[in-house]
Amino acid sequence: MSKAVESLGKKRGLLHSFFVFWDKVGILLVFFLICVIFGILAPRFFHPLNILNVVRQVSITGVIAVGMTFVILLGLIDLSVGSIVAFTGMIAAGFQVNWGGNFFLSIMVPLLIGTGIGFFNGYISTKGRIHPFIISLGSMSIFRGLTLLVARGRPISGMSPEFRFIGAGMVGDVPFPVVLFIGTVILAGIVLKKTVFGRYIYAIGGNSEAALLSGIMVDKIKILAFCVLGFLAGSSGLILTSRLNSAEMLAGTGYELDVISAVIIGGTSLMGGEGGVYGTLVGALLMGVVANGLNLLGVQPFWQMIVRGAILILALLMDQLKRRFLAA
Amino acid sequence: MKKVVLLLVVCAMVLLPFSGTLASAQEADLTIGLSFPSLAFAWFAFLEQAVFDKAEILGVEVVSLEAENRVDRQMAIVEDMIIKEVDGVLLVPIEIEAIVPAVLALNAAGIPVVTVDRRLAEGAAEVLAHVGADNLEGGRKAGQFIVDKLTEKYGEPRGVVIELYGTPGAGPAIDRSAGFNEVLAQHPGITVHTRTAYFGRADGMRVMEDVIIGIPEFDAVFGANDEMILGGLEAMKASGVVDVEATITIGFDALPDALASIDQGILDATIEQFPGRQASDGFQVLIDNLREGTVPTEPITLIEPTVITAANLGDAEKAF
């Protein structure tokens, strides 16, 4: 943003001002445009029930996308989120159904495990100086395998009513997962903009060397960001298990792609240092709206995959072009 | 130091839920290799259990390996079985063509093969016997069930039916849908809307949520497997606009969760293909061949699928 403002005086051209404008509201504009198109094509698209549907469907991956924003802002990545969802969900179901049915344990243990896996990814990659891409690829495999090992091919079903509230409950007219998701976005927004931790994240993402030299505990912040992501992926595991009333072995497969897409489309740079959770919220909603709208129109799922991929590439291209035009 | 302790605690937490049991191999005269797509599907976990149970009775050792639903893994597993010199192989091929070279290698090594549930391409390699499900017939029965119920409701076969389709390209998805639509095509009064939900529960729920919005009036839902229909039922229950009990719903596979749902009066029916019987019959053929040298008269046995409703719940193989 600030870069854009600085360079305003240097170049004036139609394209340039377009990109300044794009930087500010581009993604929102695309989002509303897509909504309007679907609203015209599918009459029931703006039905209140459908709007709730979309937000509820998005909330499961959206919660993880908020955590992923922290990690990508640092210029890092985590591919193990889908496996964390499956493993924490399976552990939650285990405590619900097979190991005594204690509600408190069935919530706390999965969240602790999720945070622990985040810590593991962060600790090994920062202290071992190995790119988290590789480390999290390893944990992705480890925890998918552990999920299968715990379940031995048997989905665990039949949660208690209070546990079902997490995924299926309503607060007034709003589904509880949506409350959790929006709450997470707002809280994360405050943390990123108003706290020392948040400002350090932008500082490290912008220039890790400079941050280190100015006395920021770079490693600690990185590990903490992974812990936040692990915790939120664990929360998502609880929501999914609760909604389905069952823990599946293949739960969360492919979530990493949905989550990373939402963050990138929302304008957070893979290089780190630029972006934020509000963009991620729009990115996640945009992906959700595309899937939902195409479903309402009865479009084949292959097309959905093609369209989603195309949107991702277009978003990245726009980002690159913007950089080129706004660079002083 | 604190971090190290923390890491250890985390590891302990992660490993806490495991109480691994290692099966001790008993003295057995035969070793059979079992290869199937993946334990990630309850269906195959049940099939594996049935093989183990049968092996215990017959006093045979079983080496069971899953292929993570990837054909290259299955190839490697079968090739390794030749090296291990197993006496016979019970195989659930992931795809009908891809695994043929590995089966040809088994043929060359003189190791008999029996396929269960899914078939290999006709005549591509030598298979002692095939014991499997008749997905086409299962689909027809599911279709007929819905036609009968609609006729009961309206006095004639008409209405709107939602079909939840499996993974595009998978054999069972193609066959079940073909059988189902073959029956429904004979009744022009019935409209079918097909949506893909990849055989998954979460997908079934998501797709059904969108269906409820896009097609507000429907009479029946067919899920090409229980996972999809169970996810769909959750969506219908949560929507507050669909009467789950009045909607005709039928799944496929007779998984424990589906049977429980039928018992509660929510799901109307599911199709039972008797995976346990398929597995143990196939296993018996293989052992008979190895011990007595018998060759089955019928190379292909298709087990007749059955519609399970609240009236005949007892006929279902109670999985686990």
Side-chain angles (χ1 to χ4, degrees):
Chain A
M1 287 288 176
S2 58
K3 256 195 231 168
V5 177
E6 276 169 20
S7 57
L8 250 176
K10 290 173 188 164
K11 283 189 196 163
R12 289 199 193 279
L14 202 60
L15 261 178
H16 181 261
S17 33
F18 167 74
F19 277 109
V20 172
F21 168 74
W22 181 263
D23 190 31
K24 288 190 165 53
V25 294
I27 185 69
L28 264 175
L29 203 69
V30 171
F31 176 65
F32 285 124
L33 202 67
I34 287 178
C35 285
V36 168
I37 291 169
F38 277 131
I40 293 165
L41 293 176
R44 292 176 64 86
F45 178 78
F46 283 117
H47 194 288
L49 263 179
N50 191 51
I51 292 168
L52 275 188
N53 258 358
V54 176
V55 187
R56 192 167 50 192
Q57 286 166 5
V58 161
S59 63
I60 293 175
T61 46
V63 168
I64 313 173
V66 172
M68 188 66 82
T69 308
F70 281 62
V71 169
I72 290 182
L73 277 175
L74 287 163
L76 305 168
I77 200 98
D78 186 336
L79 300 178
S80 65
V81 288
S83 296
I84 300 178
V85 166
F87 187 61
T88 51
M90 195 59 78
I91 296 294
F95 275 104
Q96 276 284 309
V97 179
N98 300 335
W99 310 320
N102 181 316
F103 175 73
F104 180 74
L105 281 180
S106 68
I107 305 285
M108 291 314 295
V109 177
L111 290 178
L112 266 172
I113 288 177
T115 314
I117 298 170
F119 177 82
F120 174 87
N121 287 338
Y123 191 84
I124 305 275
S125 59
T126 50
K127 298 294 175 189
R129 302 270 170 259
I130 307 166
H131 199 286
F133 182 92
I134 305 296
I135 298 295
S136 61
L137 204 58
S139 3
M140 177 180 171
S141 179
I142 290 172
F143 291 99
R144 179 65 59 185
L146 282 176
T147 307
L148 290 169
L149 203 64
V150 172
R152 283 305 294 165
R154 293 170 191 150
I156 306 174
S157 313
M159 312 295 148
S160 65
E162 60 264 30
F163 186 85
R164 298 258 10 233
F165 181 84
I166 303 168
M170 302 289 275
V171 180
D173 288 336
V174 186
F176 187 62
V178 175
V179 174
L180 278 180
F181 174 38
I182 303 299
T184 308
V185 170
I186 293 168
L187 193 68
I190 294 167
V191 167
L192 282 175
K193 286 278 180 280
K194 304 275 179 215
T195 66
V196 174
F197 173 56
R199 271 194 297 252
Y200 280 176
I201 284 185
Y202 281 101
I204 296 166
N207 187 339
S208 173
E209 285 298 301
L212 190 66
L213 292 172
S214 55
I216 298 174
M217 307 271 274
V218 172
D219 282 4
K220 203 168 157 183
I221 301 290
K222 282 181 178 176
I223 293 168
L224 212 56
F226 275 103
C227 287
V228 169
L229 174 58
F231 176 85
L232 289 174
S235 316
S236 173
L238 292 177
I239 298 171
L240 182 66
T241 301
S242 164
R243 281 213 64 199
L244 286 175
N245 196 15
S246 132
E248 288 187 290
M249 283 134 306
L250 295 177
T253 313
Y255 275 19
E256 57 283 340
L257 290 177
D258 288 358
V259 166
I260 294 166
S261 297
V263 177
I264 300 303
I265 289 167
T268 299
S269 163
L270 269 174
M271 303 295 142
E274 263 185 67
V277 280
Y278 301 117
T280 300
L281 171 67
V282 181
L285 285 174
L286 193 144
M287 291 304 252
V289 159
V290 168
N292 164 269
L294 293 175
N295 267 343
L296 290 186
L297 296 173
V299 175
Q300 280 288 358
F302 323 122
W303 280 107
Q304 297 188 24
M305 292 163 99
I306 294 165
V307 170
R308 288 160 73 102
I311 290 175
L312 180 65
I313 291 173
L314 277 173
L316 275 171
L317 269 177
M318 287 304 287
D319 191 57
Q320 275 302 332
L321 286 172
K322 180 193 83 184
R323 273 165 207 286
R324 198 170 304 170
F325 273 93
L326 297 186
Chain B
M1 193 62 224
K2 257 198 315 201
K3 284 173 191 161
V4 175
V5 173
L6 187 57
L7 188 64
L8 285 173
V9 169
V10 165
C11 286
M13 301 248 24
V14 166
L15 294 170
L16 198 68
F18 302 117
S19 49
T21 48
L22 289 167
S24 56
Q26 57 198 59
E27 282 306 307
D29 61 332
L30 291 173
T31 306
I32 302 296
L34 168 64
S35 167
F36 56 93
S38 173
L39 273 181
F41 304 97
W43 164 272
F44 293 117
F46 184 48
L47 188 138
E48 185 194 37
Q49 194 55 53
V51 169
F52 283 154
D53 293 349
K54 187 83 181 173
E56 189 126 8
I57 296 166
L58 296 173
V60 177
E61 195 184 327
V62 176
V63 181
S64 166
L65 288 166
E66 77 143 85
E68 295 169 43
N69 216 14
R70 283 170 48 179
V71 280
D72 54 323
R73 290 273 153 83
Q74 190 164 38
M75 286 281 281
I77 285 167
V78 172
E79 283 162 356
D80 291 348
M81 283 175 179
I82 299 171
I83 307 293
K84 282 193 199 120
E85 294 184 327
V86 296
D87 299 292
V89 170
L90 199 65
L91 180 70
V92 185
I94 295 170
E95 283 181 2
I96 80 173
E97 290 280 0
I99 204 74
V100 165
V103 179
L104 287 172
L106 283 169
N107 294 160
I111 299 170
V113 185
V114 171
T115 51
V116 173
D117 181 36
R118 301 185 188 179
R119 231 183 299 186
L120 280 175
E122 208 86 33
E126 237 173 282
V127 175
L128 179 66
H130 171 77
V131 183
D134 193 340
N135 281 310
L136 205 61
E137 183 59 24
R140 287 193 199 106
K141 287 199 163 168
Q144 196 53 53
F145 177 84
I146 286 182
V147 169
D148 294 347
K149 284 280 178 190
L150 287 173
T151 312
E152 234 170 80
K153 186 174 169 181
Y154 294 117
E156 55 169 340
R158 65 184 175 87
V160 179
V161 180
I162 309 295
E163 179 195 13
L164 296 174
Y165 190 96
T167 308
I174 296 165
D175 289 351
R176 289 171 190 185
S177 179
F180 181 77
N181 285 297
E182 179 187 310
V183 169
L184 290 189
Q186 296 160 10
H187 305 280
I190 301 176
T191 335
V192 181
H193 296 278
T194 303
R195 296 285 186 274
T196 303
Y198 303 97
F199 282 139
R201 201 179 293 206
D203 289 308
M205 182 173 69
R206 195 176 39 78
V207 169
M208 205 62 216
E209 282 170 348
D210 292 342
V211 164
I212 290 165
I213 300 295
I215 308 164
E217 299 291 323
F218 57 87
D219 304 285
V221 187
F222 165 56
N225 77 344
D226 284 339
E227 296 285 7
M228 293 192 287
I229 197 79
L230 286 164
L233 286 169
E234 292 297 339
M236 288 187 243
K237 275 188 255 178
S239 75
V241 292
V242 178
D243 182 353
V244 177
E245 289 178 24
T247 309
I248 303 156
T249 48
I250 177 165
F252 205 117
D253 282 348
L255 294 183
D257 288 357
L259 298 175
S261 183
I262 291 173
D263 204 24
Q264 293 159 9
I266 297 165
L267 182 66
D268 293 319
T270 183
I271 304 284
E272 171 64 284
Q273 308 228 55
F274 307 102
R277 199 192 307 167
Q278 285 178 42
S280 68
D281 287 7
F283 197 73
Q284 189 70 57
V285 167
L286 190 59
I287 300 299
D288 286 351
N289 174 270
L290 288 165
R291 283 186 178 159
E292 337 273 327
T294 48
V295 175
T297 45
E298 279 295 322
I300 294 176
T301 318
L302 292 182
I303 289 177
E304 174 85 6
T306 303
V307 180
I308 300 286
T309 59
N312 64 344
L313 261 182
D315 297 356
E317 281 185 354
K318 286 282 181 293
F320 318 120

